[in-house]
């Protein structure tokens, strides 16, 4: 009879019931692999892989997926953490409405008089109207670039949905990847920000309802220096009227640029519009978002490194039009 060999190489000892035990070293290796995978998933994208032209022609025709109306915008995939809770609230509201309908269809017991009807009306009036409200985007960063402002605003307004709108394909892809990585790296955070690729000069009414937005940001927009290209500027009289339609009364419109001529141009268009008035410096000092305009974006950081000048102007959307003083020079030019 041969002797049984003990401790052979590569053999894993068996536990009771014939199940192999995993060696501590194997457990550590598997833990390290899982850790590396999670680290890879949370790695921020590199900008050099998403570089694009500094500016894009907003008047050119591009193939974009544009919703027909604001009701057709699919916001839920962009903000899953917000819309999952909202869908649960909607289901609860639907169940309450079904119960109310069943109660209304049941005959009122005799002898109750008007008390039964009054009780049913009371139930209907306190059924929780706000329980099924769908979350809506309130902040819009027009031409968001690489998303620096959105990332800084997210923790300051954690319960407010905000979206960046960017025309360049590569840049918008970078912003979405950056937000996805930040959500993995910081669970429970950055769920209120997202980015869509669209042309804000043409399609803003397709995304937002009247009076929906409370803040709009226009940070370092393309100056379009040539006079023939001034019609491409994101701040002009026609578009400012559109912004007034989309903004809620009391909402703030933020602008900043490092080009003095463009700064004067934007001020002139907003000062001459009856639905906007300038916000004082005292109010801006108390506003968390106003302080981020200078260095939150990549362009702002570049200007700060070069010690350049910036020209900031913030305006409030009025509830009713204000009277404008007549400008004799404009009246002469119109004649």
């Amino acid at each position: 009879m041969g002797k049984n060999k003990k401790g052979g190489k590569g053999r894993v000892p068996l536990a009771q019931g014939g199940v192999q035990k995993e060696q501590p070293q194997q457990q550590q290796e598997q833990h390290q692999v899982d850790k590396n995978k999670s680290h890879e998933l949370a790695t921020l994208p590199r900008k050099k892989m998403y570089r694009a032209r500094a500016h894009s022609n907003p008047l050119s025709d591009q193939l974009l997926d544009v919703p027909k109306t604001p009701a057709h915008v699919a916001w839920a995939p962009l903000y899953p953490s917000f819309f999952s809770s909202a869908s649960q609230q909607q289901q609860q509201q639907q169940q309450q409405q079904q119960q109310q309908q069943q109660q209304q269809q049941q005959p009122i017991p005799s002898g109750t008089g008007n008390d039964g009807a009054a009780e049913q009306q009371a139930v209907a009036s306190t059924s929780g109207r706000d329980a099924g409200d769908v979350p809506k985007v309130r902040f819009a960063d027009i031409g968001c670039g690489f998303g620096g402002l959105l990332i800084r605003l997210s923790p300051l307004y954690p319960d407010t949905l905000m979206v960046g709108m960017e025309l360049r394909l590569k840049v918008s892809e970078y912003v979405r990847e950056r937000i996805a990585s930040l959500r993995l790296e910081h669970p429970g955070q950055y769920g209120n920000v997202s980015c869509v690729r669209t042309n804000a000069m043409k399609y803003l009414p397709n995304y937002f309802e009247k009076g929906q937005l409370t803040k709009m940001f226009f940070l370092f927009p393309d100056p379009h220096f040539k006079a023939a290209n001034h019609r491409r500027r994101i701040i002009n009289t026609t578009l400012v009227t559109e912004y007034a339609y989309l903004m809620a009364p009391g909402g703030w419109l933020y602008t900043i640029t490092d080009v003095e001529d463009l700064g004067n141009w934007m001020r002139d268009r907003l000062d001459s519009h009856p639905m906007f008035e300038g916000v004082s410096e005292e109010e801006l000092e108390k506003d968390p978002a106003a302080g981020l305009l200078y260095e939150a974006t990549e362009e702002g950081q570049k200007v700060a490194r070069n010690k350049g000048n910036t020209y900031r102007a913030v305006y409030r959307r009025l509830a009713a039009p204000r009277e404008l003083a007549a400008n004799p020079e404009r009246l002469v030019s119109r004649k």
Side-chain angles (χ1 to χ4, degrees):
M1 298 292 293
K3 296 183 179 179
N4 294 332
K5 296 181 179 180
K6 297 182 181 179
K9 290 185 178 180
R11 298 190 61 185
V12 179
L14 299 180
Q16 294 181 356
V19 180
Q20 292 183 347
K21 289 184 178 179
E22 192 174 15
Q23 296 293 334
Q25 183 178 359
Q26 293 178 346
Q27 293 177 356
Q28 293 177 0
E29 292 176 354
Q30 184 64 31
H31 177 71
Q32 186 65 28
V33 170
D34 295 340
K35 186 177 180 180
N36 292 337
K37 287 183 178 180
S38 61
H39 178 71
E40 291 176 359
L41 291 173
T43 301
L44 293 175
R46 293 179 293 178
K47 290 182 181 178
K48 67 179 182 180
M49 304 300 296
Y50 296 86
R51 287 295 178 183
R53 297 181 61 181
H55 302 287
S56 181
N57 183 5
L59 301 183
S60 63
D61 294 329
Q62 302 190 33
L63 186 60
L64 300 171
D65 186 11
V66 181
K68 185 182 297 185
T69 66
H72 292 84
V73 182
W75 294 116
L78 303 180
Y79 309 96
S81 60
F82 279 78
F83 280 82
S84 60
S85 59
S87 62
Q88 294 176 358
Q89 292 178 353
Q90 284 183 344
Q91 293 177 358
Q92 293 177 359
Q93 186 185 30
Q94 291 176 357
Q95 293 176 358
Q96 291 177 356
Q97 290 177 352
Q98 292 177 358
Q99 293 176 357
Q100 293 171 13
Q101 292 176 357
Q102 294 176 358
Q103 292 177 358
Q104 291 176 358
Q105 293 175 358
Q106 293 178 356
I108 300 175
S110 59
T112 57
N114 295 330
D115 295 339
E119 183 179 356
Q120 289 183 352
Q121 291 179 358
V123 171
S125 62
T126 58
S127 58
R129 298 173 184 174
D130 297 334
D133 287 349
V134 177
K136 292 185 179 181
V137 174
R138 299 300 180 183
F139 295 0
D141 184 8
I142 308 302
C144 66
F146 291 96
L149 179 65
L150 294 172
I151 302 305
R152 298 285 294 274
L153 286 174
S154 178
L156 296 178
Y157 303 90
D159 298 326
T160 302
L161 297 186
M162 52 194 79
V163 65
M165 299 190 141
E166 176 59 48
L167 181 57
R168 295 168 293 175
L169 175 60
K170 288 290 185 180
V171 178
S172 60
E173 288 179 350
Y174 169 84
V175 177
R176 287 194 291 268
E177 291 292 336
R178 181 181 184 184
I179 294 173
S181 299
L182 288 172
R183 289 176 179 176
L184 288 174
E185 186 177 356
H186 306 278
Q189 300 183 30
Y190 301 102
N192 59 331
V193 293
S194 189
C195 177
V196 297
R197 182 184 180 233
T198 191
N199 190 334
M201 290 190 68
K202 296 181 179 180
Y203 304 121
L204 281 185
N206 296 69
Y207 288 88
F208 306 116
E209 302 172 352
K210 178 181 178 181
Q212 178 175 339
L213 298 175
T214 59
K215 290 184 184 295
M216 295 187 72
F217 299 90
F218 301 86
L219 275 57
F220 300 96
D222 191 341
H224 294 292
F225 291 104
K226 295 182 179 179
N229 292 334
H230 284 179
R231 61 198 180 101
R232 299 180 183 179
R233 288 180 171 177
I234 194 66
I235 297 291
N236 59 53
T237 303
T238 302
L239 290 178
V240 169
T241 301
E242 186 174 289
Y243 304 151
Y245 174 84
L246 299 175
M247 295 190 71
W252 285 21
L253 187 150
Y254 301 76
T255 69
I256 190 171
T257 180
D258 59 329
V259 180
E260 185 177 6
D261 175 68
L262 179 60
N264 295 333
W265 166 284
M266 294 191 293
R267 281 182 177 273
D268 182 56
R269 269 61 189 174
L270 289 162
D271 285 336
S272 61
H273 199 282
M275 296 303 297
F276 287 96
E277 68 173 3
V279 178
S280 65
E281 290 296 328
E282 292 76 10
E283 293 179 275
L284 292 178
E285 291 178 358
K286 301 177 182 178
D287 181 56
L292 299 178
L293 303 186
Y294 295 104
E295 298 184 9
T297 64
E298 185 182 61
E299 188 68 24
Q301 295 170 5
K302 186 189 303 182
V303 174
R305 287 195 301 268
N306 298 331
K307 298 182 180 180
N309 297 323
T310 55
Y311 307 91
R312 182 183 68 175
V314 182
Y315 288 80
R316 180 187 293 105
R317 203 280 200 188
L318 299 175
R322 61 183 173 89
E323 295 183 2
L324 299 176
N327 189 334
E329 296 180 0
R330 290 188 178 180
L331 294 177
V332 172
S333 62
R334 289 180 182 178
K335 294 179 181 179

